[in-house]
Amino acid sequence: MNPEDLKNRTKAFAIKIVQFVESLPNNKTCTAIGNQLLRSGTSVGANYRAACRAKSRAHFISKLGDVEEEADESIYWMEILEGIGSVQTKELQSLKEEANQLLAITVSSINTARKNNRKP
């Protein structure tokens, strides 16, 4: 996957997260957890874009680490919403799958960047 494709994919993920959070029940718990999910879910794409602008391999790896953390945190908040029974939708499953795929892509990219950084 090229960087532009991943930029578009992470932006689409952020938009879906925003739409999902807007559809949550209007209660204290969902508002609090939704705010956390909104922050982490939209940060995935923002941090990936920052990684693409990195000035060094070390900075690139660091920013990808941020993408990894935010994707994993997004999965956590979705699991909490699911666990407390606030939502049980296909949309949530789809979002979790996409977050897991973005997480896997990011981890693979970090590993590749680290490997390419070593001298033979």
Side-chain angles (χ1 to χ4, degrees):
M1 176 172 289
N2 71 47
E4 280 306 308
D5 289 340
L6 197 50
K7 279 183 187 178
N8 290 333
R9 191 166 168 181
T10 57
K11 182 167 43 173
F13 177 71
I15 291 167
K16 288 177 186 172
I17 287 290
V18 170
Q19 293 167 338
F20 176 76
V21 169
E22 287 295 320
S23 74
L24 288 173
N26 189 16
N27 60 50
K28 284 174 89 172
T29 301
C30 287
T31 297
I33 295 171
N35 285 338
Q36 294 289 346
L37 176 58
L38 187 63
R39 186 197 56 75
S40 61
T42 56
S43 290
V44 172
N47 282 303
Y48 180 72
R49 289 173 68 105
C52 290
R53 293 186 312 275
K55 303 214 184 308
S56 68
R57 185 174 307 273
H59 187 230
F60 175 74
I61 292 168
S62 174
K63 293 313 288 181
L64 282 183
D66 294 342
V67 174
E68 177 185 8
E69 288 177 21
E70 298 296 345
D72 188 55
E73 184 177 329
S74 296
I75 295 165
Y76 173 79
W77 293 121
M78 287 185 271
E79 288 172 350
I80 295 297
L81 285 170
E82 189 175 48
I84 62 175
S86 291
V87 289
Q88 303 235 315
T89 66
K90 284 184 185 179
E91 185 178 9
L92 178 63
Q93 288 309 115
S94 176
L95 284 170
K96 281 175 46 182
E97 287 172 19
E98 180 65 358
N100 275 301
Q101 289 177 18
L102 292 170
L103 180 59
I105 291 166
T106 303
V107 169
S108 178
S109 296
I110 291 168
N111 291 337
T112 299
R114 284 181 177 151
K115 186 180 352 171
N116 291 340
N117 199 34
R118 294 186 190 127
K119 296 187 180 197

